Structure formats: C-alpha cells, structure tokens
Amino acid sequence: MIIRQGDQYAIAMKLKKGNGYITPTECDEMIIQINDKPKRYTQGEIIFDEEQQTWLYPLKFEDTIDMTNAVIQMKMFVNDLELNSNVKSINVEESIIKIG
C-alpha cells in the first residue's frame, strides 16, 4: 500500500475469517491504528462498508502531510478476547506541496 503526503481518503482494510471477512456483527469493537492515531468503530471514527466488506480508516490532509512512514494494525474485541492483526507497513511518498 502506498499513500502520498497530503492525501485525503479512507484506507480500506479487510480481516479474513475462514472464507469470509470480519464484520461489525462478529465483533464488539474494532480499533484501527496508523502510527500513533487509533480510531474506534463504536465512536464512529472508522466506517464499515457493507457492500465491500471493508473497514475504512479516514485520513485528512493534516493526518498525512508530515508523515514519512507509517505502520498499521487492526484490533478487534470479541466477547472477552482481544485479537490483533499483523502489523503492516505503508509506504508514504513525499509531496513538495505542503498546503491544503
């Protein structure tokens, strides 16, 4: 995955479970964190796209403009269990335009 400094969009992620994917009905909470910025599904900070079966982590200009590298991880809570995805690196390309 590659993003560019100053990009504004939602990063799409899926967590596979058997032949399908983890949805909000299968977990009590989903947290997605990029670098030091965690966002929670139950607080409306991340979105679940039913049609694509995809979790969406929205990024604003301010979130990415000074980013030089990024790591991402997903954590879900099911009953009393905490389950973590692998940590994944995101390539961040430099932008010379630093204004929004």
Side-chain angles (χ1 to χ4, degrees):
M1 174 182 299
I2 298 173
I3 62 174
R4 183 168 286 110
Q5 290 174 334
D7 280 356
Q8 298 182 108
Y9 58 94
I11 293 180
M13 291 161 276
K14 293 184 178 188
L15 267 181
K16 196 162 188 148
K17 176 185 174 188
N19 293 330
Y21 296 96
I22 301 295
T23 68
T25 58
E26 296 163 325
C27 61
D28 303 315
E29 173 68 293
M30 176 65 74
I31 299 172
I32 301 175
Q33 182 167 328
I34 296 179
N35 292 346
D36 63 346
K37 294 182 174 42
K39 295 186 180 185
R40 293 175 175 269
Y41 177 72
T42 57
Q43 294 178 2
E45 298 168 325
I46 57 176
I47 303 157
F48 186 76
D49 181 329
E50 289 283 343
E51 186 176 317
Q52 299 295 318
Q53 297 289 287
T54 304
W55 298 91
L56 301 172
Y57 183 105
L59 289 169
K60 297 178 185 173
F61 172 83
E62 299 83 20
D63 296 329
T64 64
I65 193 59
D66 293 321
M67 206 180 267
T68 55
N69 58 48
V71 292
I72 190 167
Q73 185 173 27
M74 301 172 76
K75 176 183 276 199
M76 69 175 173
F77 295 83
V78 180
N79 300 322
D80 291 329
L81 297 175
E82 294 182 28
L83 305 169
N84 291 285
S85 71
N86 293 332
V87 175
K88 184 174 183 176
S89 293
I90 301 172
N91 293 325
V92 181
E93 292 185 351
E94 185 179 11
S95 175
I96 61 170
I97 299 172
K98 302 291 184 182
I99 58 172

